[in-house]
Amino acid sequence: MNLPPPIDPARHALFIDFDGTLVDLVDDPTGVVISPEAVERLGQLQAACAGAFAVVSGRRIADLDHFLQPLQFAAAGVHGLERRDQPGAPVVPLAGPEGLDSIRVALGAGVVAEPRLRLEDKKTALVVHYRGFPELQEAAIRLVSAAVGEEPGYAVMKGDNIVEVHLAGMDKGKAIEALMAHAPFQGRQPIYVGDDTTDEFGFYAVRKLGGVSIKVGDGATEAEFRLASVDSVHRWLGVARREASQQQGETQS
């Protein structure tokens, strides 16, 4: 396993996925838990990096705020279709929900016909979940493909026990590039940590920017480095937090 280098708060910008990276994947996405200690550690790293820290997720930013409270942070949600460029700033949607209305109706009918599938409506994206029923993978793919049909302008993404559709033109890599274009990220070397196929866009983007790409778990990847699990991520972040605290103490002394 090619382990990642430590975070250097003086020159790095940290971008990190949520599910499968900061929290373990669970059957019920509303049931994930992150410890207060881990949230505090993220806040310390954010401060050490002079604010150059963002969560980049397929979840809505409102959901990230709920799980990571009281931390305030920059974020890209729904694979970049929502963005908050700095802590406390308003969330800016890059697309409206009405563009998915016809697909929303078709997917709603499909999950009624197969109740083991679950439809999550993120407003700017629609997700069909089949976690717990791996045998329904092909059914989920067929359902979303049929709902989209030949209509242009939509992106279909396959992730960990999900199939998602949203308006084309945005992904996690583009979201990272947009955040990197302004302070406090601008001029720093980006690090991106993620676990899923949807994170490959982020890995590609940070490699193009001369950054550090870190895959969590197994599987083929564009990333240069790898961490074994969510626990490994938190241990790696903990080392970075301790080193940053020591550097701050030495500076003050």
Side-chain angles (χ1 to χ4, degrees):
M1 181 178 294
N2 196 13
L3 295 175
I7 298 170
D8 180 353
R11 65 186 182 91
H12 282 147
L14 177 59
F15 299 92
I16 193 161
D17 179 37
F18 185 71
D19 292 284
T21 302
L22 287 175
V23 296
D24 286 308
L25 297 169
V26 296
D27 289 345
D28 179 4
T30 65
V32 299
V33 175
I34 183 168
S35 72
E37 294 79 14
V39 175
E40 182 181 6
R41 185 183 306 124
L42 292 174
Q44 291 167 341
L45 280 172
Q46 179 188 50
C49 292
F53 165 86
V55 181
V56 180
S57 174
R59 287 193 189 248
R60 297 182 307 134
I61 293 176
D63 295 332
L64 297 173
D65 286 341
H66 168 71
F67 290 115
L68 293 170
Q69 61 183 319
L71 184 65
Q72 296 189 20
F73 51 95
V78 198
H79 307 282
L81 288 169
E82 295 180 347
R83 203 163 71 236
R84 181 169 62 206
D85 290 346
Q86 55 186 299
V91 174
V92 178
L94 303 185
E98 63 278 356
L100 292 168
D101 281 349
S102 61
I103 296 174
R104 185 175 284 110
V105 171
L107 294 182
V111 298
V112 168
E114 175 45 89
R116 291 175 297 173
L117 296 175
R118 186 175 66 84
L119 177 62
E120 179 186 4
D121 191 339
K122 299 180 182 178
K123 307 305 180 185
T124 53
L126 301 166
V127 187
V128 175
H129 294 258
Y130 56 90
R131 186 172 299 280
F133 304 98
E135 68 276 12
L136 293 181
Q137 178 183 23
E138 290 304 319
I141 293 171
R142 286 196 302 271
L143 173 60
V144 174
S145 298
V148 173
E150 300 299 321
E151 290 293 325
Y154 296 103
V156 176
M157 304 176 71
K158 302 176 183 69
D160 193 327
N161 289 282
I162 66 162
V163 186
E164 178 168 330
V165 57
H166 57 250
L167 294 174
M170 181 53 67
D171 56 52
K172 290 182 176 181
K174 291 185 177 68
I176 290 170
E177 289 172 343
L179 289 167
M180 282 293 296
H182 60 80
F185 304 95
Q186 192 174 38
R188 287 173 169 259
Q189 182 185 31
I191 296 177
Y192 183 55
V193 192
D195 74 300
D196 202 357
T197 55
T198 60
D199 295 303
E200 295 298 319
F201 296 102
F203 299 149
Y204 177 78
V206 299
R207 292 193 68 172
K208 187 170 65 173
L209 292 168
V212 178
S213 50
I214 306 170
K215 163 82 170 180
V216 182
D218 299 326
T221 183
E222 286 276 346
E224 296 175 275
F225 302 97
R226 197 180 293 266
L227 290 166
S229 65
V230 170
D231 286 342
S232 301
V233 172
H234 285 289
R235 286 195 295 271
W236 177 71
L237 293 172
V239 169
R241 191 265 303 167
R242 287 193 297 273
E243 291 183 352
S245 298
Q246 289 170 0
Q247 291 172 8
Q248 184 178 25
E250 291 168 0
T251 301
Q252 291 173 346
S253 63

